[in-house]
Amino acid sequence: MIDEHGAEPWRDPARPVAERVDLLLGAMTLEEKVAQLGSRWVGNDMSDEQPAPTEEGESLNVAPMADVFAASGTVPLEEASRNGLGHLTRVYGSVPLTPAQGAAELIRQQRIVIGNSRLGIPALVHEECLTGFTTFGATVYPAAIAWGATFDPDLIERMAAAIGRDMAALGVHQGLSPVLDVARDYRWGRVEETIGEDPYLVAMVGSAYVRGLQSAGVLACLKHFAGYSASRGARNHGPVSMGRRELLDIIFPTFETALREAGAASVMNSYSDVDGVPAGSDHWLLTEVLREQWGFTGTVVSDYWAVPFLATMHQTAADMEDAGAQALTAGIDVELPDTVGFGAGLLTRVPEEAVETAARRLLTQKVALGLLDEGWTPEASVAGAGSVDLDSAGNRALAREMAERSIVLLEPGDVLPIAPGTRRIAVVGPCAGDPQTFMGCYAFPNHVLPRYPEAGLGIEVPNAVDALKKEFENAEIIYEKGCEVLGADKTGIRQAAAAARDADLCIAMVGDLAGLFGRGSSGEGCDAEDLRLPGVQGDLLDELLATGTPVVIVVVSGRPYALGGVHERAAALVQAFMPGEEGGAAIAGILSGRVQPSGRLPVQIPRHTGGQPGTYLQPRLGAEKSEISNLDPTPLFPFGHGRSYTSFEVGELRISAAEVPTDGEFTVSVRVRNTGERAGDEVVQLYLRDVVAQVTRPVRQLVGFARVPLEPGEAKDVTFHVHTDRTSFTGRDLVRIVEPGSMDVQVGRSAGDLPLQGSVTLTGPLRVVGPARRLTTPVSVKPVE
C-alpha cells in the first residue's frame, strides 16, 4: 500500500500509532503476521553446553533439552526471517564482542531481516540486563538481591537508567529485567536474581528499575510470571505446590505494581507449573488476570524455550506445533529465543484473529519505538557505538554507591570498624581473592566468559585482598585461600588457620561463586540441598574460629546461609550480596569504617541449615517457636535487619485516627533521630498485623519503608499515608477484600525490632476491592524545626 506521496502510510510518524499498526496489518499476509511472533538467536553457543554432573558423577537426563536445541538454533537467519522476524536475540550478549563489533553484527542481522521482509520490517532487539547490560566490557552492578538490600528505589532507578542509556546507544530495544519473583525458599539457585522475600519491597524496587530502564527508551520485561520462585524442593523448573491465595497475595502484587505504577511494557512467563498447569499455557494467568483484570496491553514473551518445553518437559503438548498453539492461545505473543512452536504450524492450528492480536501487540511496540519511521536504518540506530564507554567512570561510581549501600552489617561486635592501628591482618577464604564471586549469574563474566577464558573479565574488578591492602596501607595483609567455594579439598585449611593464628585479626570471606546449571554454588540451575556454606567452607570457619584470633566473617553470596553455628564465636558478621565490580572496595570501606553501613536484609539470615522455606511472611503457626514442635523457625537475623556505626532512635508514634472506615485512609508518623556521632541512614519500616481475619494472615507484613539520611543529632518526621486498600487480602472465596476489625500498627528498624506499637480499627462493612486498589504507601519525610 502506497499513499499519494509514494510512501507507505504506516511509516508516517505524524499518524497515531494505532492507525499505523492497522494499516500495516492490513498489508500483511497471514504468513508475515506469524513471522512477527518468532525470533532468532544467531550467536548462541550454549547449545552444546550440558549441565554439570552431580557430585557422585552421575550423568543427568538432558534429552528434553537436547530435543529443544535440535529444533532451534540451526536455521540460518536468512531462512528464519523469510517472511520477517519479531525479535533478534542477544546480539551483544552471546559471545565477547566490542561495542563496534556488536554494532556491526547487529547491522548485518537487521539488514538480513529487512531484506527478507517484503515490507521491510526490522526486528526488535533484546538483551539481558539483570546486573547491568550483559555484554563484554559493560559495568557489572550488584546482583538484584543487593538492590533489595539498599531499600532505596531512587538509587535503583538511577542504575537502571544508566543501564538503559548504554543499551539504547547500541540499538537495543528491550531488556529482560527485572525479576519480580518473591523469594520463597532460600535454597533455590535464583534467589540472587530476586529482590527479596517481601512483595512490597520487591514491588517498589522493581518498579523503580522499570521506570529507570524505560526512561532511556528501552522496554522493561517483568519475569517470571508467575510462581517460579516457589518450586517444590527449590529445584529449578520444579513444580509449584501453591494455593491460589498465596499466588494472589504474595506473588502477583509485585507484577501488578510494576505494570500499573511503572508502566512496564513486557512480561515473561514462568517455566514452572502451578498446581499442574504450566504458566506458558495458562489462559487464566496470561489473559484473564494479566489482560482482562489488570488491563495490560503490552507484549508477553516466552522465557527461553518455554514454548517447546510444554512438549518436552511438562508433556502437556503432543508436539512442538501443539505447544505453540497452546502458548499463543493462552496469551504468549512472542516466542524466544528461537522460533520452534510459533512456526508455520500456527497457520492451521489457531484462528487468524489470535495471530493478528499477538502481532498487533508487537508491531505496536515496533512503531512506538520508531523502527517503522520513514528513514529509520539499523546503521543510524547504532551511530554512537564507536564512542560508547560501557564501563564509564560514572557507571563505576554508581556501582560503588550501590555496593556500599547494599552491604549489611549484621553484627559489629567489638572489632568493627577495624582499628587503624591493627598491624597484621589475615585475609582468608575463597571469596577474598576471586573477584568473580562478587558477580551474579547473569553478569557477562560469569554467564558467558567461562567459555572464553582467554578474554579475561573484560572489565577491571579489584579483588578484596587488593582492596584491603589499599584500605589498610599501614597493616601487613597476609592472604590464604583456605579452600575453594565448591569441592571437598581441605589441604589449604591448615595453612589458612596458621595465618590467622599469627595475626591480630582475621577476615574470613566465604560464600558463593555464581554459575549456570550446576557450575556454581548460586545461579540458574545451582540449587542447594540445605543452607550450610558450600563445599568445605564451614570446616574452614571452624578451624579459623578455633585459633583464638578474632575472626570477622564476611559472607559474599547470592542467598542467605545459616550462620547459627558461627554467630556466637565470630568477632563480627557482615553480609555482602554479590556486590558487583566495585564490591572489593565497598567491603573494605565498610570494614574500616570509611563507609557507614546502611544495608538492610531483604531476606532473613537463618539460624539452622534445614527447615525450609523460612521467609518471614508466615502465620503464627509458621513463624513462632512453641511447644507444639521441637523445631525453631525463628531467624538468626530478621528481615529488614542491619546495624550501623552510629545510633538511631525511633519514637513518638502518632496514628491519625483510632477508627477508620474500610474505604478510608490513615497516617502513621514517627520521629527518627541520629543519636550518634556520625552521619548515617536509618531505614524506618512500617508493618501491619491483622489481629483476626477469616483466613490465616502473616504475623506481620511490611506496608511501607523510608530510607532517612541524618546528620549527628538531626531528627526528621516520617509519615506513612496508609489507605485501607493496603490491608486487603484474598478471602475464603478467593475475592480480595478489606475486612473490618483491629489492625496492629508496628514501626521500627526490622521485622524483629519494632519498638513502636499501636492499633487502628477498620469500621463499616466488608469491602471488595478490585484492580483499581491502592498498591503503594506514600511516605513524606520532613526535617524537625
Side-chain angles (χ1 to χ4, degrees), residues 171-243:
V172 177
H173 309 117
Q174 183 177 39
L176 303 186
S177 287
V179 171
L180 295 187
D181 298 308
V182 178
R184 300 299 284 162
D185 189 328
Y186 306 144
R187 298 170 300 175
W188 189 47
R190 303 188 81 167
V191 166
E192 66 170 63
E193 298 180 45
T194 75
I195 297 169
E197 68 182 52
D198 179 84
Y200 189 64
L201 175 65
V202 175
M204 296 302 288
V205 172
S207 295
Y209 184 98
V210 170
R211 285 191 293 270
L213 195 72
Q214 295 191 165
S215 73
V218 177
L219 308 179
C221 181
L222 312 182
K223 56 188 190 182
H224 308 87
F225 192 62
Y228 186 29
S229 57
S231 57
R232 191 182 302 156
R235 295 186 71 248
N236 195 41
H237 291 216
V240 175
S241 301
M242 179 184 290

Side-chain angles (χ1 to χ4, degrees), residues 148-151 198 200-201 598-602 616 638-643 650 653 668 670 672 681-688 700-708 718 720 745-757 777 779:
T150 70
F151 275 72
D198 179 84
Y200 189 64
L201 175 65
S598 62
R600 300 294 184 267
L601 288 175
Y616 93 100
F639 172 85
H641 170 81
R643 299 287 299 276
V650 182
L653 175 66
V668 178
V670 298
V672 55
D681 290 7
E682 178 61 289
V683 178
V684 181
Q685 301 166 42
L686 168 65
Y687 296 80
L688 295 181
R700 61 188 59 86
Q701 185 165 355
L702 183 74
V703 295
F705 62 89
R707 177 183 269 267
V708 184
V718 180
F720 299 94
V745 177
Q746 306 170 335
V747 184
R749 304 178 187 89
S750 75
D753 182 9
L754 298 167
L756 304 182
Q757 303 277 331
T777 303
V779 186

Side-chain angles (χ1 to χ4, degrees), residues 52-58 60 486-488 518 520 527 529 534-535:
T54 64
E55 290 188 8
E56 293 76 19
E58 299 173 353
L60 301 176
L486 287 167
D527 310 314
E529 292 181 354

Side-chain angles (χ1 to χ4, degrees), residues 46-97:
M46 298 175 64
S47 58
D48 295 329
E49 185 167 305
Q50 302 295 346
T54 64
E55 290 188 8
E56 293 76 19
E58 299 173 353
S59 60
L60 301 176
N61 178 16
V62 295
M65 291 288 286
D67 290 345
V68 171
F69 285 138
S72 68
T74 58
V75 179
L77 180 60
E78 290 79 358
E79 175 66 18
S81 62
R82 66 183 183 275
N83 288 307
L85 192 68
H87 275 237
L88 287 172
T89 297
R90 295 180 64 174
V91 177
Y92 293 94
S94 301
V95 298
L97 299 173

